[in-house]
Amino acid sequence: MMDAQPSYTLLRSRFLEAAQRHGAQLEHHKHPLQGPQGEDLYTDVAVFARPGTRKWLVLVSGTHGVEGYYGSMCQTAYMDTLAAAGRLDGEVGLLLVHLINPWGTAWKRRTNEDNIDLNRNYLDFSRPLPQNPGYEAIHELFTLRAGQEDDSRADALWESKVRELGRTQLMNVLGAGQYLHADGLYFGGVQPAWSNTTLRAIVAKYLADCSDAVSFDLHTGAGEYGHPMLMAIAEREYPGMEDARRIYGPWLYTVLTGASSTTDTGISAAATGYTSQAMVDTMQGKRFTQLVIECGTYTNPQIRGSALWNDHFLHLRGELQGPVYEQVKRDILEFFFPADADWREVVWVRSRQMFDRALNDLLARGQA
Ligand SMILES: [Zn+2]
């Protein structure tokens, strides 16, 4: 259902073409930087809604740029599916936020243009930022390889940390995020990123007057291969989680995040600054449910030597062309968006089912 090696430009043209064909209202948010081919980058918004619509289904793709290949595929396919069924009628508004981190999608990176993990960036930056002393002890690992001569030292440090903490705890410390090292992993930034302020502006514009909404943030890379996992992620219980449980029953995983939290879902429960939490906070007072779909790809026994790791060092070295660059980009795309046609079909079908349940639930509300 999509080329083995798609590009940002291809995703964008397919999305816009479908949106126009089906009569969407469109808006385009231009990113300040360009993609690897010098192409301009945009977050595009497609809206299908009747005037005065107060119930909304929201799909956001590409929070982690390279994961947007999956998210975009689903957004475009869902427009086509609803149109074919005669259901793109706007009774429940459909708000499609296409590639909220377009720089990351175009460059096939999980992070944004400032090496920020957007799912650590939705914080109140006027307050003290979270501390992660555990990360301080291992940050050196993520800068050493900038020079090849440091390889053996990095190997030794990594092995000693694995022995000291164990792989699971090491990954928990990493995944919790950090706010001191712009050249490190899981960096949360020191101010709201372009994608953060852009998403907030889109939500403020379309959802300020809504009564009911269900929103999906679309991800890949954690969990078992070909298994789309449905999650509600928040710092604490909120009313919309009850709707999620009612709509999805045992399909739903609930992850409550906090400094000492853990989860076996493959995502980090210790992190703060999730898009999900920002949406929940913004939509307070409305009947709102925020969901995450996380589609498992390859199991990653350790981060060292992984596609993500190699991509981190590629950009740290500023090696943005050549055969190593090409290979690393092929690897990271494959990790987050496998070329396997069965994988792509399964994640789409399962995602569509989850979207449909939300849409049907929203439609039924207020129709006693
Ligand atoms: Zn993700």
Side-chain angles (χ1 to χ4, degrees), residues 175-337:
Q178 52 88 14
Y179 295 85
L180 292 176
H181 303 282
D183 58 350
L185 246 56
Y186 301 99
F187 174 56
V190 292
Q191 59 187 12
W194 180 89
S195 302
N196 177 336
T197 53
T198 301
L199 182 62
R200 288 184 188 280
I202 294 165
V203 167
K205 176 171 176 177
Y206 292 101
L207 303 182
D209 297 326
C210 95
S211 62
D212 295 62
V214 178
S215 168
F216 289 86
D217 193 20
L218 304 175
H219 290 257
T220 66
E224 297 297 316
Y225 188 85
H227 285 68
M229 183 168 41
L230 179 69
M231 292 186 283
I233 303 171
E235 289 167 6
R236 62 192 74 83
E237 282 283 333
Y238 69 99
M241 276 189 170
E242 270 313 306
D243 277 321
R245 289 192 187 95
R246 179 180 53 76
I247 298 170
Y248 296 102
W251 288 108
L252 184 76
Y253 292 77
T254 302
V255 179
L256 295 181
T257 60
S260 58
S261 299
T262 57
T263 169
D264 57 7
T265 57
I267 68 143
S268 176
T272 46
Y274 272 104
T275 309
S276 284
Q277 187 61 46
M279 291 291 290
V280 169
D281 292 343
T282 302
M283 299 292 280
Q284 258 183 30
K286 306 177 192 304
R287 188 169 172 187
F288 177 71
T289 299
Q290 177 65 42
L291 299 164
V292 170
I293 301 178
E294 181 64 77
C295 301
T297 62
Y298 299 93
T299 45
N300 207 359
Q302 62 177 58
I303 196 156
R304 181 149 171 71
S306 67
L308 193 71
W309 173 280
N310 290 333
D311 184 64
H312 172 74
F313 285 103
L314 194 70
H315 285 265
L316 209 56
R317 291 195 303 270
E319 186 177 345
L320 302 182
Q321 55 183 7
V324 173
Y325 170 86
E326 299 294 338
Q327 185 60 51
V328 169
K329 292 302 174 183
R330 273 195 294 275
D331 290 347
I332 193 168
L333 182 63
E334 176 63 25
F335 184 84
F336 287 102
F337 188 56

Side-chain angles (χ1 to χ4, degrees), residues 64 67 110 119 219-220 294:
H64 292 138
E67 301 169 24
R110 190 174 172 281
N119 255 349
H219 290 257
T220 66
E294 181 64 77

Side-chain angles (χ1 to χ4, degrees), residues 104-140:
T105 307
W107 287 92
K108 300 188 173 78
R109 299 210 73 191
R110 190 174 172 281
T111 55
N112 83 339
E113 61 276 11
D114 297 316
N115 194 39
I116 290 172
D117 179 343
L118 287 174
N119 255 349
R120 308 290 180 271
N121 184 251
Y122 287 87
L123 291 178
D124 178 355
F125 285 95
S126 69
R127 298 173 62 185
L129 294 171
Q131 309 277 317
N132 187 349
Y135 180 84
E136 294 304 305
I138 53 175
H139 171 62
E140 195 185 3

